[in-house]
Amino acid sequence: MAKVPSAVIAAGGLVGGYGVARWTRQRPLGGVVLAVAGAAAAQRWRQQAGGKAAGALSVAYVAAFAGSHPLSKKVGPWPSVFGVAGAVALASWAVADRRG
């Protein structure tokens, strides 16, 4: 069985975290989804690309989450979340997934 690419895990965490928070109206629950996916992605990044790359991608993941908030005021919440998720997925693929 093939492993799920880290790009999918990271993007899914950002989109899923927002979706869960929005649909349940429980922001902490969305935060749990975001954190669990981020931890899973970080573990995969470490395995595939090493500690420095995992650290940099983890910073990008958190920055994407934080950056989606002001961006949503300009483009709307869903476009913002999809945009930052796509950016993190692309970075994840470029740094970690394409090697495997």
Side-chain angles (χ1 to χ4, degrees):
M1 182 174 186
K3 289 185 178 180
V4 176
S6 63
V8 173
I9 297 169
L14 289 162
V15 173
Y18 175 70
V20 167
R22 181 171 178 138
W23 289 315
T24 64
R25 300 188 192 282
Q26 297 293 319
R27 290 181 75 177
L29 188 56
V32 168
V33 171
L34 181 79
V36 168
Q43 181 179 10
R44 184 72 53 84
W45 293 328
R46 193 174 308 107
Q47 291 169 347
Q48 292 177 321
K52 287 183 183 180
L57 288 168
S58 294
V59 167
Y61 184 80
V62 173
F65 166 70
S68 69
H69 291 82
L71 182 60
S72 73
K73 293 180 185 344
K74 296 180 187 280
V75 299
W78 280 112
S80 172
V81 170
F82 286 131
V84 300
V88 168
L90 181 61
S92 180
W93 175 82
V95 173
D97 292 335
R98 79 174 165 167
R99 294 177 179 203

